[in-house]
Structure formats: C-alpha cells, structure tokens
Amino acid sequence: MSHSRRRSDAMIDYLREYDRAVEIGIGRRTELAAALAKAGVSVIATDVYRREVPHGVRFVQDDIVDPDPAIYADADAIYARNLPPELHRPALEVAREADAAFYFTTLGGDQPAVPVDRKTIETGTLYVARAGIQ
C-alpha cells in the first residue's frame, strides 16, 4: 500500500461522518475524494488547475487564496492534503466563513501556520483547525 493511500485511509475515518466536504487542491491524488463519495459523502474537489476527478466527485476550479465563497458555503468539512504553510490561513478563513470543520496534513516537516489540534494517524499527523481561534 502506498504512503498516499495509507494517509487517505486514515483521513477517511475522520471525514466520512460529514454529509458535504470540499477538498482543496486535489491535484492528481483522487483516492480520498473517491472513497468519500463511495461512502455517501457529497464531495467537491477544487484545484487552481483543471483536474479529472472520479465518478461521484464534482470538480470546481478555484484558488483558495482568492476563493469563491459559494463553493464552500454548504460544506460541513473542508480538507486538504500536503497543504503548504502559506495556504493554511486562507483555507482556515474559508472554513470559518462556511462554518465547516477544517482538516489538513502538511508535507514533510512543515508545521501548521494556524492553531490546531493534532490527531496521530498512521502516516504522521492530521491537523484539525480549532474553531473560534484567530
């Protein structure tokens, strides 16, 4: 099992409880969005570039630094994998505006740039941004 596959398996345990989720920056790693859709979660995937997404996942081109709030407005959870530190705050702001939970992982040794709770997962740490913290 690949490293990316294990990380998505661990994240799904936290995300499958939500009805509607938005993935920020799906890139070419579509297995988590596909698994969530298969589990009955309504999933929107975003990226700054046009991407192919699995059946059951809706794609919307968007930049989290200059987001369209309507994309995120109905989300219960917003999540990202390998999110670079410069995008932590913009993503958290979008999640707060939507009143959604925000889950993310970082790449390598990057530390979160926003206040978080840490959840240990098989491949490292899943960060959960704390509501109400500026």
Side-chain angles (χ1 to χ4, degrees):
M1 186 180 296
S2 74
H3 179 74
S4 177
R5 181 74 191 178
R6 286 192 315 271
R7 179 170 288 183
S8 68
D9 289 349
M11 286 184 75
I12 197 171
D13 292 340
Y14 290 93
L15 296 169
R16 69 168 36 130
E17 71 185 71
Y18 296 99
D19 293 328
R20 295 174 306 279
V22 178
E23 180 167 347
I24 296 169
I26 192 164
R28 293 181 180 86
R29 300 171 323 271
T30 61
E31 67 279 351
L32 178 54
L36 287 170
K38 188 174 181 181
V41 178
S42 174
V43 181
I44 297 173
T46 69
D47 202 291
V48 293
Y49 302 106
R50 180 83 187 123
R51 302 290 186 179
E52 292 298 318
V53 294
H55 177 72
V57 176
R58 183 174 151 230
F59 178 81
V60 180
Q61 195 165 349
D62 191 58
D63 184 347
I64 197 65
V65 175
D66 185 21
D68 176 354
I71 296 167
Y72 309 90
D74 292 331
D76 301 310
I78 295 172
Y79 69 95
R81 294 183 294 158
N82 300 332
L83 193 66
E86 63 272 15
L87 299 182
H88 296 178
R89 190 161 304 283
L92 177 58
E93 288 171 8
V94 165
R96 280 197 186 126
E97 189 170 312
D99 196 25
F102 177 41
Y103 294 84
F104 66 100
T105 61
T106 59
L107 188 59
D110 288 343
Q111 291 301 306
V114 296
V116 294
D117 289 325
R118 289 167 167 78
K119 307 284 183 192
T120 300
I121 58 176
E122 181 180 347
T123 55
T125 304
L126 175 64
Y127 300 105
V128 183
R130 290 187 244 157
I133 305 278
Q134 300 299 318

